[in-house]
Amino acid sequence: MLGAGDYGVTLTEWSGRILWQSTDTKLNGLSFSRELSEVSQASLEAQMPEDVANLIEPWIYRLSIYRNDVLVWHGAVTKVRSVGKSVKLEAADGAVMFDRRRIPLNRTWRQHDATQAMQTMVEDGLGYLDPVDLVDNLIAYESRIWVTSHYVAGEAMVADAVSDFVDQGLVWTVAAGRLLIGPVGARRSTAQITDRDFDGEVAIIKDGTEMVTDALVVGKGVNAIYTAGPTPYGMLQTIEKDDGAVREYECEQAAKRLVEDFQQAPRSIEVSGSSRLLPSAPITIEELIPGVRVPVASNQTGITVGSTMQLTKLDVDVSDSGETVKITLEETSVVDEPSELPDPAEMDWRSPYERELASQGASTGGKTEEEPTDLPVPPA
């Protein structure tokens, strides 16, 4: 049940040795978040012995938060602030290492699934001295977003590659210390929440800053346009680059997805400020993983929202009065609907370009050595 969790915190070394745990210690402040395709944060303020405060160093110790003896957040300590016997710690989940690791190997991806590409890049970069065991606890699910890219060892950070994949539609998150790549959360759904599950007012936002009714997608020597036709919004055009597209059909499909996603101002729901989810809400903290589908029915603001939305952010604050749970919900994307995908066991998940290369006996993508010179090139 929301609002009444029993929280505990531990500080451990990489080896797993516990330096400090809350047990009966009063927590002056505790908060943590989960966010879609972003690094999530946590903070702790508590009374600690002076010798313990002296030993805590950023990047050496890991912060783990437990709710009713179940791990709900895990990451690396990044900042320590001590005033008297009160110590305040700030921490970030394992994805913070994306900005701290260079790409160690040359990698070339030719029309590979973005999930496979990101998983390999993360394993390359974080496989050695992984401070929060992000690679060992990784879960991936096919995105069916085909990417074409090349990365040279030592010239970019892992975060640069991850950002490229996100720009092409891939989603990821970190929940309870576990990295989830692809539409993993989208395969789950919570119970429906309505206006009676909120304490206070919620904000419903119509954001038209990225609306598009006519999209031109430019690929490798090819391009295509898709338009929504006559609309009350007029003509809202854009040009998008997609280096992974090597055929006109692929550009057309990318343009169509873009227009279908943004031809109307997407709605989002924010539970923030003094508002929160009530303890009676039919969902649990464990279910609130960014990307999960949340059926919503609300007309609190006069703007009727009655659809399945996706969770993009979770914020939890713990105090003497209990826990406060705040969420942000947004409309789903057409590129992230697992219900539209067949069973993986029944499908050849290679892209058309991969199948063409395989039929000619050529190798594709993910190589660490020099590329052969006789590979066929995508048709212009």
Side-chain angles (χ1 to χ4, degrees), residues 58 92 104 110 136 140 156 170 187 233 321 323 344:
R110 288 192 177 95
D136 291 342
L170 182 66
R187 302 171 64 199
Y233 309 108
S321 59
E323 67 180 0

Side-chain angles (χ1 to χ4, degrees), residues 49-343:
E50 293 180 359
D51 58 331
V52 171
N54 185 52
L55 289 172
I56 302 174
E57 291 290 337
W59 303 108
I60 294 180
Y61 287 92
R62 305 183 296 187
L63 178 71
S64 302
I65 302 174
Y66 295 85
R67 183 183 187 272
N68 299 333
D69 297 323
V70 176
L71 182 68
V72 293
W73 196 92
H74 178 69
V77 174
T78 57
K79 188 176 182 179
V80 183
R81 185 175 187 270
S82 180
V83 179
K85 291 186 177 181
S86 177
V87 178
K88 183 175 182 179
L89 305 178
E90 296 180 10
D93 68 39
V96 72
M97 297 302 296
F98 295 168
D99 260 327
R100 297 294 188 276
R101 294 293 174 87
R102 292 186 293 271
I103 295 174
L105 300 170
N106 294 342
R107 287 289 181 185
T108 298
W109 302 104
R110 288 192 177 95
Q111 291 290 286
H112 278 72
D113 191 294
T115 295
Q116 176 194 354
M118 177 174 171
Q119 179 178 352
T120 302
M121 302 300 284
V122 170
E123 289 173 345
D124 286 350
L126 277 67
Y128 176 68
L129 293 179
D130 182 2
V132 289
D133 303 322
L134 200 66
V135 171
D136 291 342
N137 296 315
L138 184 152
I139 295 178
Y141 185 75
E142 292 90 347
S143 67
R144 301 213 73 195
I145 298 171
W146 311 112
V147 297
T148 297
S149 54
H150 177 68
Y151 300 95
V152 178
E155 290 191 0
M157 307 298 287
V158 173
D160 298 323
V162 172
S163 178
D164 290 343
F165 303 143
V166 171
D167 287 344
Q168 296 183 60
L170 182 66
V171 295
W172 60 271
T173 191
V174 177
R178 189 181 292 271
L179 175 61
L180 311 177
I181 303 176
V184 178
R187 302 171 64 199
R188 302 286 185 267
S189 179
T190 69
Q192 185 183 59
I193 59 175
T194 63
D195 289 336
R196 64 175 177 269
D197 296 316
F198 300 109
D199 177 18
E201 296 181 344
V202 300
I204 298 180
I205 301 165
K206 299 180 183 179
D207 186 357
T209 55
E210 296 184 0
M211 281 182 61
V212 173
T213 61
D214 184 302
L216 167 63
V217 173
V218 180
K220 290 282 189 180
V222 292
N223 62 74
I225 296 176
Y226 183 86
T227 180
T231 72
Y233 309 108
M235 186 179 294
L236 305 174
Q237 295 182 322
T238 188
I239 299 175
E240 295 288 333
K241 289 192 63 178
D242 185 356
D243 292 337
V246 295
R247 290 176 174 78
E248 183 177 338
Y249 170 77
E250 294 168 345
C251 291
E252 183 180 351
Q253 290 301 304
K256 181 179 179 181
R257 288 194 299 266
L258 185 63
V259 171
E260 288 179 348
D261 268 346
F262 296 105
Q263 64 180 328
Q264 278 191 323
R267 272 67 165 165
S268 65
I269 297 177
E270 288 185 359
V271 182
S272 57
S274 59
S275 302
R276 63 187 178 93
L277 279 174
L278 287 168
S280 57
I283 52 180
T284 65
I285 291 290
E286 289 75 16
E287 290 180 293
L288 293 175
I289 297 173
V292 72
R293 296 318 192 232
V294 183
V296 178
S298 173
N299 58 3
Q300 187 180 118
T301 65
I303 301 174
T304 301
V305 176
S307 63
T308 299
M309 308 186 80
Q310 65 174 340
L311 176 72
T312 57
K313 190 175 183 182
L314 166 71
D315 288 294
V316 179
D317 290 301
V318 183
S319 63
D320 293 339
S321 59
E323 67 180 0
T324 300
V325 179
K326 302 176 181 179
I327 59 174
T328 300
L329 302 171
E330 295 183 359
E331 292 185 332
T332 60
S333 168
V334 296
V335 303
D336 190 26
E337 289 300 332
S339 59
E340 298 178 1
L341 303 182
D343 184 341

